[in-house]
Amino acid sequence: MALSKHQVSQLQKIVETVQAILAEEKRNPQGRKPKAASRLSAGEPHSRRSGKELLAFRKALRAERKSGVPVAEIAKRHKVSKSYIYQL
């Protein structure tokens, strides 16, 4: 069975990819990339707003936005995404 030049180059790429994966595995034995730090601090429990609290929160966000506060600042202060604020 003779392989064409194209097939040989494809096989070489596969071998290089596998070697890169194995080298990465040696550096990081868990097999996972280290997770980025979460937005919430370690001691803060996650809470979900609901009902009246959610309505009041959205109303406050809209008021801040109308008063000209930058979206990035609002998102950082209230620990929500920028897209969430734009969707309101």
Side-chain angles (χ1 to χ4, degrees):
M1 179 172 139
L3 298 175
S4 69
K5 288 183 181 180
H6 182 68
Q7 290 172 328
V8 170
S9 68
Q10 286 180 331
L11 288 173
Q12 286 175 341
K13 286 179 186 177
I14 291 170
V15 169
E16 289 172 4
T17 304
V18 170
Q19 287 175 341
I21 291 171
L22 291 174
E24 186 177 324
E25 178 65 26
K26 280 185 179 179
R27 281 185 263 133
N28 190 1
Q30 286 91 16
R32 296 181 184 168
K33 293 181 180 177
K35 289 185 179 181
S38 66
R39 289 188 296 167
L40 296 174
S41 64
E44 247 180 272
H46 178 72
S47 64
R48 184 174 178 167
R49 295 176 191 90
S50 61
K52 292 179 184 178
E53 183 184 5
L54 178 61
L55 292 174
F57 179 68
R58 286 181 178 171
K59 187 175 180 179
L61 289 181
R62 283 191 205 104
E64 284 185 53
R65 186 71 181 117
K66 281 186 180 181
S67 68
V69 179
V71 171
E73 187 178 319
I74 296 171
K76 194 174 190 180
R77 184 182 316 137
H78 296 287
K79 297 180 182 170
V80 294
S81 67
K82 291 182 240 180
S83 64
Y84 178 78
I85 296 168
Y86 282 122
Q87 288 173 10
L88 294 178

